[in-house]
Amino acid sequence: MKFRIGHGYDIHRLVAGRPLVLGGVKFDTDYGLDGHSDADCLTHAICDALLGAAGLPDIGHFFPNTDPAYRNIDSQLLLQRVVAEITQLGFNLSNIDATVIAEKPKIYPHLAAMKAALAQSTGLLPDEIGLKATTNEGVGDLGRGLAIAAHAVALLSRS
Ligand code: MG
């Protein structure tokens, strides 16, 4: 059995009048993340971690933000496509671990729902998905609440 680790990072600006979607869960806010798709930076970081572990190009290669087909698309569909891609190469998903960096809103109450949505998209069990949220302690643009970022790592195995 060979193991492959991958890392992903993403950041999107917070703007007024967009829905906020993180880890496939829609938040009840009057602001959201700017982007071509639903701008779910957590799911994008996870996609890149999975693609990176498989040695594949990044999410922008598979789903270009110039392609109208991906305008406002639910990023869970992108994640499902990524999982199909790596599964086709013979990889098994072992686990994912991710951290969301957000000054607002409070993420913690939604972590279980986010895990459930990500489990649904990846075929992992909820306890195979680590999910944490932290603030940036007021430091920099993340700390001023101008953006939300996410880091993720993923482990794949292949025999
Ligand atoms: Mg993104």
Side-chain angles (χ1 to χ4, degrees):
M1 190 83 92
K2 262 190 107 171
F3 293 97
R4 306 268 296 247
I5 194 165
H7 169 262
Y9 169 78
D10 196 25
I11 183 168
H12 283 260
R13 288 177 191 280
L14 275 176
V15 292
R18 283 262 304 179
L20 177 61
V21 182
L22 285 171
V25 171
K26 204 163 165 191
F27 285 65
D28 186 21
T29 53
D30 54 5
Y31 53 84
L33 295 170
D34 196 20
H36 183 68
S37 65
D38 67 4
D40 181 343
C41 63
L42 170 59
T43 299
H44 295 175
I46 290 170
C47 285
D48 268 350
L50 293 168
L51 291 167
L56 292 170
D58 71 9
I59 187 172
H61 170 88
F62 286 93
F63 316 109
N65 63 10
T66 48
D67 188 336
Y70 304 121
R71 182 144 190 80
N72 294 322
I73 196 171
D74 176 354
S75 291
Q76 296 312 297
L77 298 175
L78 307 184
L79 178 56
Q80 288 160 23
R81 282 266 308 273
V82 165
V83 170
E85 200 78 39
I86 62 175
T87 303
Q88 198 166 21
L89 293 173
F91 291 109
N92 287 307
L93 255 80
S94 179
N95 76 303
I96 290 166
D97 187 28
T99 303
V100 179
I101 306 164
E103 218 63 26
K104 62 174 185 181
K106 281 237 172 299
I107 308 285
Y108 182 80
H110 306 278
L111 284 180
M114 293 157 76
K115 268 191 191 194
L118 293 167
Q120 179 101 36
S121 293
T122 56
L124 287 168
L125 299 169
D127 72 0
E128 293 168 327
I129 300 172
L131 213 46
K132 291 93 60 200
T134 184
T135 70
N136 217 39
E137 290 290 330
V139 177
D141 286 348
L142 279 173
R144 281 194 286 278
L146 299 179
I148 293 178
H151 293 265
V153 288
L155 190 70
L156 305 182
S157 65
R158 186 163 65 174
S159 42

